[in-house]
Amino acid sequence: MNITGTGSAHPSLTVTNEMLADFLDTSDEWIVTRTGIKQRQIISNERLEDLAATAADNALTDAGIKASELDFIICSNVVNEYITPSMSCIIQGKIGAECPCIDINGACAGFIYALDMANSFFQSKSEINTILIVCAEEPTRMVDWQQRNTCVLFGDGAGAVVLTRGNDFKAVKLTSISKSEALYQMRKLESTPFISKDEPDGPLVMKGQDVFKLAVAASLKDIECVVRESGNTYDDVDHYLLHQANIRIIETIRNYINQSEEKFPHNIENYGNTSSASIPILLDELNRNKQLKCGDTLVLSAFGAGFTAGACLFKWSKN
Ligand code: UT7
């Protein structure tokens, strides 16, 4: 499996740390020091499905193909305004594709899970030659905007890749540990005349330090596994694209495997944590800025609610 196109899209509204400090007991200094985030793009008048379709269109243009050539669409999404139908079906209509579609909810690690699924489709379905993955997320609609420990962390956006058959995808490792109490949100469903249980309904709940520790431990294991399984060393990897959740998590992982700062590109300062969209958005930025060379080795690694985590290693063969 090879990546032949990347794309992304962001909401138009920029919200700086100073803007948050106007209505929250927080400061630019706290947010930058503890997270690395300076600003984020937040949905105001946009719809997530439109951002998703724009990211998809941009990836198709980069790949030089038409939507009608797609054989499958996978959308990674945690929450959006539609309970049903799936976001991938909505994207299909907006971009003018005709192929089968499915959504997955792998939380912030969704992109790695989607890549592994796409790779399996190429191996098991001879009729599939081109797959679109779109990661479209609006985590700013999950948090309580009075809770400073969660709302300052997130931003909205969409990232997409076009995949074709090839040998660039070298190794993948997925990890899931049932630990919902560390990071979850529960919402009330429609009532029925038969419901007699209490149903929690509220914003995202996060035990930040627990997630931090789980993230570092799982990411280090996943990264070690894909580097070893592909017959590489940490030094052989040119770029480590880590989930953009906290610059301190990225730095802790980088220090542990003793690699240079240049190998860990980041854009968390501009976008905050955009859940599963964060890695494809970063990948698109590097691709468009010509920071990836043909033959480069990339490791992607992400973690999120579940607790889920995953890493993969692939070669970049696009010019
Ligand atoms: O995609 C997965 C999503 N989640 C994550 O990746 C989260 C991983 N965890 C983290 O990134 C960090 O744990 C946080 C950024 C969430 C928090 O940083 P921390 O260094 O673990 O801070 P803390 O939770 O230990 O809080 C330290 C202090 C507390 O005050 P007291 O009790 O020491 O007086 C908090 O109330 O910082 C306070 N605090 C804030 N202060 C100003 C928490 N949030 C804020 C804030 N502004 N926004």
Side-chain angles (χ1 to χ4, degrees):
M1 177 174 87
N2 295 354
I3 294 179
T4 56
T6 68
S8 59
H10 303 280
S12 55
L13 179 68
T14 303
V15 177
T16 62
N17 293 343
E18 287 84 0
M19 287 161 77
L20 298 182
D22 283 345
F23 64 91
L24 268 180
D25 180 15
T26 189
S27 65
D28 178 54
E29 201 261 332
W30 191 96
I31 301 172
V32 171
T33 322
R34 300 286 182 125
T35 71
I37 301 165
K38 294 181 182 154
Q39 60 180 45
R40 68 287 288 145
Q41 306 295 119
I42 294 190
I43 281 186
S44 52
N45 58 0
E46 298 93 350
R47 303 204 91 91
L48 185 62
E49 57 266 31
D50 293 326
L51 293 179
T54 303
D57 280 335
N58 291 341
L60 291 168
T61 305
D62 188 41
I65 65 159
K66 295 194 188 69
S68 55
E69 293 172 66
L70 291 172
D71 299 314
F72 213 104
I73 299 173
I74 303 171
C75 178
S76 163
N77 168 260
V78 175
V79 73
N80 70 84
E81 289 170 287
Y82 285 89
I83 304 283
T84 195
S86 67
M87 178 68 94
S88 50
C89 269
I90 297 169
I91 296 168
Q92 186 225 47
K94 284 190 177 286
I95 64 175
E98 289 165 1
C99 57
C101 309
I102 191 74
D103 281 14
I104 62 164
N105 180 347
C108 302
F111 183 50
I112 313 290
Y113 281 72
L115 285 170
D116 191 38
M117 282 175 64
N119 193 42
S120 306
F121 283 164
F122 284 125
Q123 284 165 16
S124 63
K125 293 173 184 283
S126 59
E127 73 278 14
I128 290 189
N129 293 304
T130 311
I131 299 177
L132 171 73
I133 296 176
V134 186
C135 300
E137 304 278 14
E138 46 185 337
T140 68
R141 306 302 301 281
M142 300 167 67
V143 293
D144 176 345
W145 280 87
Q146 298 305 315
Q147 285 179 8
R148 64 181 185 175
N149 62 321
T150 51
C151 73
V152 305
L153 303 175
F154 297 98
D156 306 317
V161 294
V162 174
L163 303 158
T164 57
R165 290 183 174 274
N167 293 318
D168 287 349
F169 197 69
K170 303 294 185 193
V172 62
K173 171 75 171 33
L174 304 178
T175 301
S176 300
I177 305 164
S178 182
K179 214 171 174 43
S180 52
E181 69 278 9
L183 185 54
Y184 72 91
Q185 180 176 17
M186 292 181 75
R187 65 185 154 179
K188 236 187 177 95
L189 302 179
E190 292 299 316
S191 195
T192 79
F194 315 105
I195 289 295
S196 55
K197 59 185 174 175
D198 279 341
E199 292 188 306
D201 188 32
L204 188 79
V205 177
M206 184 177 73
K207 294 184 181 157
Q209 292 190 0
D210 289 358
V211 177
F212 195 113
K213 286 177 206 150
L214 283 163
V216 171
S219 301
L220 282 172
K221 268 195 198 155
D222 293 344
I223 293 170
E224 196 267 333
C225 180
V226 295
V227 168
R228 182 173 32 82
E229 269 187 13
S230 57
N232 287 287
T233 65
Y234 294 132
D235 291 351
D236 294 330
V237 177
D238 299 293
H239 312 275
Y240 290 89
L241 275 63
L242 270 47
H243 175 41
Q244 305 288 295
N246 188 325
I247 197 73
R248 290 190 292 135
I249 295 178
I250 297 172
E251 278 298 285
T252 307
I253 294 167
R254 182 179 78 75
N255 286 325
Y256 197 89
I257 62 175
N258 195 23
Q259 296 292 300
S260 67
E261 255 181 83
E262 301 73 59
K263 287 190 176 187
F264 287 70
H266 52 83
N267 58 13
I268 187 173
E269 54 279 10
N270 295 325
Y271 301 121
N273 179 348
T274 55
S275 189
S276 72
S278 88
I279 293 181
I281 287 173
L282 182 61
L283 185 66
D284 184 47
E285 218 168 87
L286 296 178
N287 178 27
R288 276 165 209 279
N289 295 339
K290 306 264 175 255
Q291 285 167 268
L292 303 173
K293 293 193 303 295
C294 187
D296 278 358
T297 301
L298 278 71
V299 163
L300 313 185
S301 164
F303 58 85
F307 180 82
T308 54
C312 66
L313 183 145
F314 67 89
K315 288 276 176 192
W316 186 257
S317 61
K318 197 175 138 44
N319 281 311

